[in-house]
Amino acid sequence: MTQPIIHPIDVILHKRDGLVLNDAEIQAFIRAIVERTAENQLVTDAQIASFLMAVFQRGLNPQELATLTQAMRYSGDTFDAAPLHTFTIDKHSTGGVGDKTSLLIAPTLAAAGLAHLTPAGVPGICVPMISGRSLGHTGGTLDKLETIPGFNTQLNLTQLAGTLRKCGAALIGQTPRIVPADRTLYALRDHTGTVESPFLITASIMSKKLAESLNALVLDVKVGSGAFMPTYEQSKFLAQLMVQTGESSGTRTVALLTSMDQPLGRFSGNWVEVWECIDIMQGQRHAMSHDLIEISNILSGWMLHLAGRTTTPEEGATLADQILQSGEAYKAWLKIIAAQGGDTSIFQNPSAFHKPKASRILKAETSGYLASMDCKQVGWAVQRLGAGRAKPGDPVSAHAGIEMHAKLGDKLEAGQPLATLFSEDPALLDEPEHMLRETLEITAAPPALQPLIHEIVTKN
Ligand code: URA
């Protein structure tokens, strides 16, 4: 029996009018996006934009969301981890300022995997980490990694499998063939005011993560002034949608709602963030890095627990800290970086590799407590220094960034350094300095502090 033809206009009208889309309608719409050519516009940009706005307005029920995510996931190439016979797991963060946990978590899990090889000699845990670039006020793991001379983030899926076999983790960028539907949808969302839909965000993020062929996924969903979603409730709703979507496709999924009220750790930028992680993996724990270490260990702890290495996530966090402190994570890091062509000699003296052309220290104007900041504004200051990009494709500076000298709640004397700004261009220092001065608030009384981890969302 021939299948009835599904026209994009009917899918749009159904969603616009609040009807529930069936699987065939959603699948046909996504297929039309990836199969269209210049000569044969199976669906036009205008129609895709209308569909996005209809979803933005009407939302999706769990079945529609699961089907959209799966249709996007299989819109191009997917990684097949089955031949590795290992436990695949990844972490995804909704993005933040100074958020470099991936650079600690991937080698920590790789070290745990390398410590228990399968009978076929493959690490017992593998992390096929496909990361993104900085955009807006948030940093991107790929931009940080690409400050390492020679490091290649553009591996194909065969090379990804080879690196996992050898190292237990690989840190790569999305290829044009992975989830191509998301490229089209995301580009149009950017132009049509439909980025902030929790349903579209879930389908976008989860389709790419599920294309990695994961047994489990830990999500770090940010809340607070530097978070992508504007309110706690919206962050929590997003976390619930992502957990539900991951679980419904057979991937154990857990989301942690974590604070993004101030930059995570000591540095925000590109090379400076790699440097901070090398220090930690080499056993140096700067006082400003404590929140970064804590949150990385908690996320790694959940991953080790889901991978069956520990009975509880708390035991997992303790094991993660041991792996970091013992130098095993650093060994795994060197192996991953070398396997992807990176020059590991620069890690012997990472501070010597930090060569900004200009820097400026911002000092506290009054004595008191660092009480609040708009973390998004701090992220934009990092971007304006040259570390981030205003639009996709812009180049980023390796050495631009900010070093924070105080955390929220710290007591400061007037004249004490608050932050150091770095840039490759002295002319780029003024505006970020002004932005930081405006947003870093010092008060006479100590502020009430937020916990680092707010809530954990699981399928239950
Ligand atoms: N990151 C993504 O990959 N997609 C979104 O929609 C938002 C953040």
Side-chain angles (χ1 to χ4, degrees):
M1 202 173 73
T2 54
Q3 298 292 323
I5 295 172
I6 296 170
H7 299 280
I9 182 64
D10 293 329
V11 181
I12 296 164
L13 293 175
H14 290 168
K15 191 37 60 186
R16 183 198 70 181
D17 295 342
L19 302 180
V20 173
L21 299 179
N22 63 39
D23 291 355
E25 286 178 305
I26 295 170
Q27 287 156 354
F29 200 87
I30 295 300
R31 216 169 30 246
I33 292 174
V34 288
E35 288 178 1
R36 70 189 180 147
T37 60
E39 296 74 38
N40 190 3
Q41 289 282 300
L42 298 169
V43 56
T44 64
D45 276 0
Q47 288 176 315
I48 303 170
S50 298
F51 172 78
L52 290 169
M53 187 54 85
V55 172
F56 187 95
Q57 297 290 2
R58 294 285 185 181
L60 296 171
N61 73 21
Q63 178 61 36
E64 290 175 303
L65 181 55
T67 305
L68 177 64
T69 306
Q70 291 297 339
M72 289 170 65
R73 170 187 183 177
Y74 290 110
S75 64
D77 296 343
T78 53
F79 179 59
D80 180 13
L84 296 177
H85 298 290
T86 183
F87 190 92
T88 51
I89 186 160
D90 195 5
K91 184 250 6 163
H92 176 83
S93 157
T94 56
V97 183
D99 182 2
K100 53 197 89 67
T101 62
S102 293
L103 305 184
L104 296 175
I105 291 170
T108 299
L109 268 289
L114 288 163
H116 296 267
L117 300 182
T118 66
V122 176
I125 302 173
C126 282
V127 185
M129 196 176 266
I130 301 182
S131 302
R133 296 191 180 279
S134 90
L135 192 62
H137 76 284
T138 65
T141 301
L142 289 189
D143 294 316
K144 297 168 201 180
L145 288 165
E146 285 179 357
T147 62
I148 302 167
F151 189 78
N152 178 16
T153 58
Q154 303 304 301
L155 305 191
N156 61 35
L157 294 179
T158 310
Q159 292 166 320
L160 169 62
T163 309
L164 291 176
R165 273 181 201 280
K166 201 156 106 189
C167 307
L171 299 155
I172 70 166
Q174 209 192 331
T175 74
R177 286 294 314 144
I178 296 178
V179 193
D182 184 58
R183 281 176 189 269
T184 307
L185 291 171
Y186 199 86
L188 283 166
R189 281 167 63 200
D190 219 16
H191 293 289
T192 54
T194 50
V195 167
E196 294 88 353
S197 157
F199 304 97
L200 295 174
I201 295 172
T202 296
S204 168
I205 291 175
M206 294 304 289
S207 60
K208 288 177 286 193
K209 286 289 136 186
L210 297 175
E212 292 173 8
S213 173
L214 298 177
N215 295 110
L217 173 66
V218 173
L219 298 159
D220 178 3
V221 179
K222 304 292 185 189
V223 296
S225 63
F228 191 55
M229 301 304 278
T231 66
Y232 187 91
E233 288 65 34
Q234 282 168 285
S235 289
K236 184 167 176 184
F237 183 57
L238 176 64
Q240 287 167 332
L241 286 182
M242 291 200 288
V243 168
Q244 185 188 82
T245 306
E247 292 282 351
S248 73
S249 67
T251 295
R252 280 301 322 274
T253 310
V254 172
L256 279 71
L257 292 165
T258 72
S259 265
M260 187 37 72
D261 287 311
Q262 60 183 328
L264 199 53
R266 176 182 174 197
F267 290 115
S268 303
N270 292 313
W271 166 255
V272 283
E273 294 198 25
V274 178
W275 167 18
E276 181 173 0
C277 293
I278 293 163
D279 277 356
I280 294 166
M281 288 187 278
Q282 289 179 343
Q284 296 156 46
R285 297 194 160 199
H286 192 284
M288 289 294 293
S289 297
H290 277 156
D291 54 354
L292 166 68
I293 296 170
E294 188 181 341
I295 216 160
S296 299
N297 283 339
I298 291 171
L299 292 165
S300 293
W302 268 98
M303 294 168 80
L304 290 165
H305 169 59
L306 293 178
R309 281 299 156 86
T310 59
T311 324
T312 64
E314 292 75 22
E315 282 171 29
T318 304
L319 175 58
D321 200 49
Q322 281 163 9
I323 294 172
L324 268 187
Q325 300 224 39
S326 66
E328 289 307 308
Y330 185 54
K331 276 195 221 154
W333 164 263
L334 293 176
K335 205 167 172 160
I336 299 162
I337 301 301
Q340 293 188 227
D343 175 3
T344 55
S345 69
I346 60 165
F347 305 144
Q348 282 155 21
N349 190 359
S351 62
F353 191 66
H354 178 48
K355 295 193 195 81
K357 290 209 178 63
S359 64
R360 186 177 294 169
I361 298 176
L362 177 72
K363 294 184 176 161
E365 285 172 353
T366 54
S367 298
Y369 295 89
L370 183 58
S372 73
M373 69 183 82
D374 176 357
C375 186
K376 209 171 255 173
Q377 170 105 327
V378 179
W380 281 115
V382 175
Q383 184 262 336
R384 298 279 157 83
L385 284 162
R389 43 175 70 81
K391 58 179 190 317
D394 283 352
V396 295
S397 151
H399 300 290
I402 289 178
E403 176 177 6
M404 290 297 297
H405 299 295
K407 291 278 172 198
L408 291 173
D410 282 358
K411 195 162 187 323
L412 295 157
E413 298 299 331
Q416 203 175 318
L418 261 179
T420 304
L421 290 72
F422 309 108
S423 185
E424 314 240 32
D425 178 355
L428 294 183
L429 292 172
D430 291 344
E431 190 194 6
E433 181 193 350
H434 177 73
M435 291 164 81
L436 290 182
R437 212 174 271 296
E438 254 193 349
T439 195
L440 300 177
E441 190 196 9
I442 296 174
T443 57
L449 296 177
Q450 294 294 319
L452 209 46
I453 310 290
H454 289 264
E455 214 173 326
I456 294 164
V457 178
T458 66
K459 66 178 170 184
N460 301 320

